[in-house]
Amino acid sequence: MRRWVRMTGGLLIWALHFVGIYLISSAADVWSSSEAGSARWIGLAFSMACLLAVIALAVWLGRGRREGSGEEAWERRVGLTGALVAGIGVLWQTAPLAF
C-alpha cells in the first residue's frame, strides 16, 4: 500500500482538491452566490492546504533513500512527477478563485 501512496499520492490530492472546490462552489451557489467573497476565501484556504500537502509529499519523496533497488527509484520518480502534475493542477484550478 505504501508503494501506491508514493506513486499516486499527488494525483489523489489533486482529485480531492477538484472534488472539494466543486463542492465549495456548489454550496456557495446554493446558499448565496458562487462569486461571494466568503466562498472564495474558503476555496483559497482549501487550495492552499492541498498545495501544502502536495509540497509535503514531494519533500517526503525527495528525502527517500537514494540507494536501493531500481524499482524504488522508479517509484520515487513516478511519485515526484505525479506531485509536480498535481501542484500545477491545483494552481490551475485555483486561478479562477484568485482573480
Side-chain angles (χ1 to χ4, degrees):
M1 187 68 164
R2 184 178 171 113
R3 297 169 81 179
W4 281 104
V5 170
R6 272 192 297 211
M7 290 191 295
T8 63
L11 301 177
L12 291 172
I13 294 169
W14 183 23
L16 174 73
H17 177 262
F18 180 81
V19 170
I21 290 296
Y22 184 83
L23 291 174
I24 291 168
S25 297
S26 296
D29 199 28
V30 169
W31 289 322
S32 60
S33 167
S34 59
E35 301 292 321
S38 61
R40 292 168 83 99
W41 283 109
I42 292 170
L44 285 172
F46 179 72
S47 293
M48 294 311 300
C50 288
L51 191 59
L52 287 174
V54 169
I55 291 169
L57 178 71
V59 167
W60 178 61
L61 289 171
R63 289 187 178 193
R65 291 191 342 226
R66 298 287 182 220
E67 66 278 347
S69 69
E71 213 174 87
E72 290 176 1
W74 180 79
E75 290 170 5
R76 187 173 44 255
R77 285 192 308 264
V78 168
L80 285 170
T81 302
L84 174 67
V85 169
I88 292 169
V90 168
L91 288 174
W92 187 261
Q93 291 170 347
T94 304
L97 294 174
F99 300 107

